[in-house]
Structure formats: C-alpha cells, structure tokens
Amino acid sequence: MLEKLASALPKAELHLHLEGTLEPEMVFALAKKHNVRLRFPSAAALREAYQFQDLQSFLDLYYEGAGVLRDEEDFHQLTLAYMDRVARDGVCHVEPFFDPQTHTGRGVAMREVVEGVVGGLREGEKKHGISWRLIPCFLRHLSEEEARKTWRDLIPFQKYFSAVGLDSSEKGNPPGKFSGVFAEVRAAGLCGVAHAGEEGPASSIREALEKLQAVRIDHGVRCVEDPDLVRELAKKRIPLTTCPLSNVRLCVYEKMSDHPLKKLLDAGVNATANSDDPPFFGGYLLDNWLSCLRELSLEKHHLVQLAKNSFEGSFLPEKEKAKWMEKVDQVAASCV
Ligand code: ADE
Ligand code: ZN
C-alpha cells in the first residue's frame, strides 16, 4: 500500500548527473555512431563491471562512459531518455547536473553540450509536463583556475542555469579550494550547491556552507557524525539531496538499513532521496524511494515529508512550491 503511495506522490529529483544516466545500451549505440572502440565486448559486460569499492572506482568508469557523448544530438537524446524514464516514476520536476569539463576537455564545444541538454529538457517538458532547472558542476579534482575558465565559457548560457555545483572526487579536494570561483558565480547572480559529506567528513559540509555559501548540500549524509550540525541544518532547513542506492553501491554504508535518511527526517532535516547515477547504482528515483521504504521501515508521514522536501528544496518559485505541497496533501489524503 505504501508502495502505491510512493509511486503516486508528485516528486522532484534534485540530485541526478545526466552523464550518470547513460545506460550501457546507449553507450554502445553512441560508440557505433562515432566509431569509438570500447574495452567491453557488450552492454551486458559493461553492466557487469558496475561494481565499486568507493567513489573513485565509480568515477573512473563514469568518465570513460561519457567519452561517447560527442555532439548536440547525443546530449539531447541522453537527456530526453532520462525525462522519458522518470515520467513513469511520478517525477514532476527535475534539477539535473551536468559536468561541462568532462566534455570540453575532450574538445566538445560548450554550445553543443548545453544546447543538447536544454533541447532534451524542453522536449521532455513538452511530452510529459515535467518542469526543470539545470545545474552545471565544476569537477573538483581539477584546479580552481580550470573552474574559472569553465565559468567564463558558461556565462553566455547563464539564462539556462539556476545554480552551479561541485562534484567528482571529494577526498583531497575540499570545498574551500573553489571559494574564489564560487564568489564569481554569486556575483553574477547564481547560487552555489556542492557535493559534501559523501566520502568527506561532516566538516566539509560546514566548509561548503561557509566558504561557498552553498544553499543546498548534495549527499551530506555524514552530517550525522556532528549532532550540532544536524540541529543547524534542521533549523535552517538547508536541503540535503541524499542518494541512498548510490551510498550503498559506493560503500559509504554497508547496507541500506544503515542509511541515515529516516534519522535525518525524524530530526527535521530537509532531506530528500534521489538517484545520482541510476544505471550505475541499480535504480532510478522511485527505486530509491522503495528501497528506503522497505529497508528503513518508513511510514506514510516520511513519504509525504520526502515529497514535500523535494519541492521545498527545489529552485522553483514559492508559488509553484505551494501548488505542489497542496497536491502532495491531496494525493496523500486519497491514498489510505
Ligand atoms: N559525479 C557523479 N556522481 C557523483 C557522486 N556521487 N559524487 C561525486 N561526483 C559525482
Ligand atoms: Zn552526485
């Protein structure tokens, strides 16, 4: 019964990397289109390789797979496939990330990447009524100088973006490394969000809040190691975009029943459940919700709160947020 409610509730996805939605079959189709040689014999063999010890072992395969994305049409197709897929999960609003440097570093023009992604989002919106905001991320394993250059290349497309993010290898690359470029981003009128507290400690969440003035923390699960921080996050309603299946597949937690999502919700934190990189981690948005529902024994009020948090934590205008909250209450009332 609660499974039905999880599916029926309107939901927003706030933590999703478009490159991380590349299904192995699409990797092979695009490799054929562009005459790229892959080191795996088949899509099934590639999928079998999706077994990770930590974040870095995943990122190595993720960047390798992204190498088949070469032109605007590829980015459009990738993005539309994601919109088509999540329409089935009751997702009404999405705020995906993309990693411009992964592509510009291979000689793909920024315009092809951005126009392709925006084209896919617009077609998905028309087809399914899913609204969207878009967030380019800086790769934190690269230098701040490279992030500054990327920001200059992004400026002509600024109207498409609601924020700028920070992702990739957290260990050894603390948020403070990028405080200068995030100040530039804020001066241009965009806010920052940042991956923090995934593999890094709770102190990196504080650092993202203080040095980047991040308005939303991606993952953030390791805040539970600092009870004062949990209280502060709850008081300020700072959104945490957790990704439960990702955390288990990347060995942040040994098993789903160890995941702190329920504790965070009970502590009044604005936590959401998202998919991160679905084919790599075994599930899209609803799979994440259902896995938490079963393994954490979530109750009806947790599901309703997760749905409301996803809209509250979004970059939608207040009026739109209020409309979705009301809709969540309506669906919850009709599903006993
Ligand atoms: N890029 C794609 N997925 C990521 C994750 N979970 N953490 C950091 N960078 C990422
Ligand atoms: Zn992520």
Side-chain angles (χ1 to χ4, degrees), residues 129-290:
I130 299 174
S131 55
W132 56 272
R133 297 291 185 271
L134 181 59
I135 305 174
C137 290
F138 299 131
L139 295 178
R140 68 202 308 161
H141 65 273
L142 301 178
S143 69
E144 185 182 41
E145 196 39 49
E146 283 165 287
R148 281 183 197 271
K149 188 189 165 305
T150 302
W151 171 238
R152 285 195 290 276
D153 294 343
L154 286 167
I155 286 173
F157 308 100
Q158 187 181 332
K159 65 172 190 266
Y160 297 132
F161 309 137
S162 293
V164 173
L166 183 66
D167 65 5
S168 191
S169 324
E170 191 176 4
K171 280 185 183 157
N173 299 295
K177 177 177 163 186
F178 296 91
S179 55
V181 68
F182 272 85
E184 275 185 50
V185 167
R186 290 196 308 278
L190 285 182
C191 45
V193 299
H195 282 56
E198 178 186 17
E199 280 194 342
S203 60
S204 79
I205 299 171
R206 286 189 186 281
E207 193 173 324
L209 296 172
E210 284 160 19
K211 296 198 177 161
L212 307 184
Q213 294 179 34
V215 298
R216 194 158 88 191
I217 298 294
D218 297 311
H219 292 293
V221 281
R222 288 191 56 190
C223 69
V224 294
E225 294 163 25
D226 178 347
D228 284 342
L229 177 59
V230 172
R231 275 189 286 276
E232 189 182 327
L233 292 169
K235 189 162 162 237
K236 296 185 176 159
R237 294 292 291 164
I238 292 167
L240 297 189
T241 64
T242 84
C243 303
L245 284 172
S246 163
N247 290 154
V248 175
R249 290 297 188 98
L250 298 185
C251 308
V252 176
Y253 299 103
E254 196 185 311
K255 50 191 189 309
M256 189 59 85
S257 53
D258 296 335
H259 197 277
L261 179 63
K262 187 179 184 181
K263 273 193 216 103
L264 291 168
L265 290 171
D266 288 341
V269 173
N270 182 357
T272 56
N274 306 271
S275 69
D276 211 4
D277 305 282
F280 291 91
F281 304 141
Y284 283 80
L285 188 98
L286 185 58
D287 302 311
N288 273 273
W289 277 51
L290 294 178

Side-chain angles (χ1 to χ4, degrees), residues 10-12 14 92-95 131 133 162 191 193 215-216 236-240 270 272 304-330:
K11 297 173 280 291
L14 305 183
C92 305
H93 176 72
V94 296
E95 299 193 350
S131 55
R133 297 291 185 271
S162 293
C191 45
V193 299
V215 298
R216 194 158 88 191
K236 296 185 176 159
R237 294 292 291 164
I238 292 167
L240 297 189
N270 182 357
T272 56
V304 171
Q305 195 63 55
L306 276 178
K308 289 188 171 177
N309 287 354
S310 74
F311 293 107
E312 183 187 339
S314 75
F315 289 113
L316 284 168
E318 293 304 319
K319 234 173 120 179
E320 283 283 300
K321 290 184 185 184
K323 180 195 89 179
W324 284 117
M325 302 284 172
E326 218 173 283
K327 184 90 183 136
V328 168
D329 281 331
Q330 273 171 20

